[in-house]
Amino acid sequence: MAKSLLFRQLFDADSSTYTYLLADPVSKEAVLIDPVFEQHLRDRALIEELGLSLIATLDTHCHADHVTGAWLMQQAVGSKIGISGRYGDMVQGANYLLDHGDRVAFGDRTLEIRATPGHTDGCITYVLDDHSMAFTGDCLLIRGAGRCDFQQGNAHTMYASITEQIFSLPDYCMIWPAHDYSGRTASSVGEEKAYNPRIGGQADETDFVGYMENLGLPHPKKIDIAIPANCLCGRPEDGKMPTIADWGPVRLTYGGVKEIDPQWVAENLGQVHMLDVRAPEEFNAELGHIGNAQLVPLGELEGRVSEIPTHQPLVAVCKSGRRSAQATVILKKQGLKEAASLRGGMLSWNEANLPVEKA
Ligand code: FE
């Protein structure tokens, strides 16, 4: 029987980087390939919502165009950091120094490491156990190939990497690259063998190298920041983790909602302004309301923003946490940034047996 896989492709629009989440749905063990520093909270929210346990972040190479989110994830969830050992002393702080032939297991699944240098010396292609997927980093791209004109780039080496390590995979093997700048998301070995303009069709090594040595690309805009940061696996100079709010343990959901847990709110009711956005008839119904909560139904919120005090951070509440989430969006548009939605609303509040008032 074929093994199952949970798979997500994530995108960072600023650097056009793809991040890949792979998990064994049974054991829930997961790996994250090429996380992006600025997307840490998004990636973490998804991993949490899917109930996964992240074993490792795996970089395909030491990137020059964005900073890896590996260190942040290690701090947040204890995942190990994997990157090629071929960078030697250049890269500090990794847990797994990977090389050709190594395997990384997550639950029942494994990724095989194939060394595919050419873009940099330490470029790795991660190949799924059944050869149905290859994560090629900046080696083979969709109808392209990673540049070879800086770091330790070498077009001859890349030619060998692609033809020997990637094109030797079955034609149906899907290609998932580190970047695409034209909105393309995936390809396959068969497709790239036939149509890749640099190395597909009848192209030989001379054709490929000639093409690659005449790309005439500008230097990546973030290279001076990205390479030093990636040499520390993305550990920021100040060693600080990104936070959503400085007033409380506010979390960002994968859906982009700022949420806070009922328990914390109950213990800190004096520090926040409670805004109940339900209909007046719900306010005193069986779920009750939180003492001191101000009632402004969602439909009236935009017109009544001036009635809302701003000296304290605001926690919006409704029945289930959906309308209150939209309330934080409306309030943000009106300039009220320190607002979060009560996670699970009055339903969760009541479930936790927290105090309510009823008229
Ligand atoms: Fe790169």
Side-chain angles (χ1 to χ4, degrees):
M1 206 181 77
K3 290 179 178 178
S4 53
L5 180 78
L6 184 154
F7 175 64
R8 296 287 184 278
Q9 181 180 41
L10 298 151
F11 186 59
D12 174 60
D14 191 45
S15 63
S16 296
T17 301
Y18 288 125
T19 297
Y20 300 99
L21 178 67
L22 289 84
D24 168 11
V26 180
S27 69
K28 302 277 186 185
E29 289 190 348
V31 292
L32 191 64
I33 297 175
D34 284 340
V36 173
F37 188 89
E38 287 81 4
Q39 301 294 348
H40 170 69
L41 292 169
R42 174 200 66 183
D43 298 352
R44 216 167 100 189
L46 179 61
I47 289 165
E48 212 177 280
E49 289 175 20
L50 294 175
L52 303 174
S53 119
L54 190 72
I55 300 291
T57 56
L58 303 171
D59 273 290
T60 53
H61 62 291
C62 181
H63 306 276
D65 61 339
H66 70 273
V67 177
T68 175
W71 183 85
L72 292 178
M73 213 48 103
Q74 183 192 51
Q75 297 302 302
V77 304
S79 49
K80 303 285 192 230
I81 297 174
I83 191 164
S84 171
R86 294 194 186 182
Y87 293 116
D89 291 342
M90 188 184 129
V91 174
Q92 307 280 331
N95 304 102
Y96 302 142
L97 296 175
L98 303 167
D99 207 349
H100 194 81
D102 288 347
R103 273 162 217 280
V104 176
F106 54 104
D108 207 18
R109 307 302 307 251
T110 50
L111 286 168
E112 167 198 341
I113 282 87
R114 293 195 177 190
T116 48
H119 173 64
T120 74
D121 277 350
C123 285
I124 280 173
T125 291
Y126 295 96
V127 180
L128 191 62
D129 43 26
D130 61 3
H131 290 184
S132 63
M133 303 173 114
F135 301 87
T136 52
D138 282 357
C139 185
L140 182 65
L141 304 176
I142 301 167
R143 304 296 191 270
R147 61 195 297 177
C148 301
D149 59 342
F150 61 80
Q151 288 177 290
Q152 314 86 23
N154 183 312
H156 294 278
T157 310
M158 183 177 278
Y159 182 82
S161 291
I162 296 175
T163 54
E164 292 165 20
Q165 300 302 329
I166 301 174
F167 283 177
S168 57
L169 290 161
D171 278 357
Y172 61 77
C173 177
M174 295 284 288
I175 299 296
W176 300 95
H179 301 285
D180 193 82
Y181 306 94
S182 308
R184 298 165 299 196
T185 55
S187 185
S188 70
V189 167
E191 236 181 285
E192 293 307 317
K193 268 185 185 170
Y195 299 115
N196 190 296
R198 303 180 186 183
I199 200 164
Q202 302 294 314
D204 62 12
E205 184 168 344
T206 313
D207 296 322
F208 179 72
V209 172
Y211 196 126
M212 295 305 288
E213 286 181 349
N214 290 283
L215 288 175
L217 295 169
H219 252 43
K221 53 184 180 204
K222 281 194 187 167
I223 190 167
D224 298 331
I225 299 164
I227 293 182
N230 287 330
C231 287
L232 299 171
C233 296
R235 183 190 201 281
E237 265 175 39
D238 62 7
K240 278 195 186 145
M241 298 293 289
T243 50
I244 307 289
D246 51 16
W247 55 270
V250 176
R251 293 196 281 187
L252 192 67
T253 70
Y254 187 58
V257 178
K258 288 184 188 176
E259 284 188 342
I260 190 148
D261 283 331
Q263 200 62 49
W264 185 90
V265 174
E267 287 160 14
N268 294 274
L269 270 181
Q271 337 268 335
V272 297
H273 179 72
M274 294 303 302
L275 180 74
D276 196 314
V277 297
R278 292 175 297 168
E281 58 272 22
E282 291 174 275
F283 198 65
N284 288 309
E286 79 272 24
L287 292 176
H289 59 263
I290 296 167
N292 291 333
Q294 178 189 17
L295 176 65
V296 180
L298 186 61
E300 297 171 20
L301 186 56
E302 213 169 328
R304 293 177 58 186
V305 165
S306 60
E307 295 174 32
I308 296 166
T310 54
H311 65 285
Q312 286 181 318
L314 182 146
V315 176
V317 55
C318 66
K319 183 182 171 189
S320 71
R322 302 297 177 265
R323 281 174 286 171
S324 56
Q326 184 56 19
T328 64
V329 174
I330 292 169
L331 292 168
K332 193 180 171 194
K333 268 192 219 155
Q334 303 282 331
L336 227 149
K337 292 194 184 75
E338 299 301 323
S341 168
L342 184 77
R343 188 185 187 104
M346 289 308 295
L347 287 170
S348 295
W349 187 274
N350 275 273
E351 259 166 47
N353 288 316
L354 297 169
V356 294
E357 288 181 14
K358 294 174 199 181

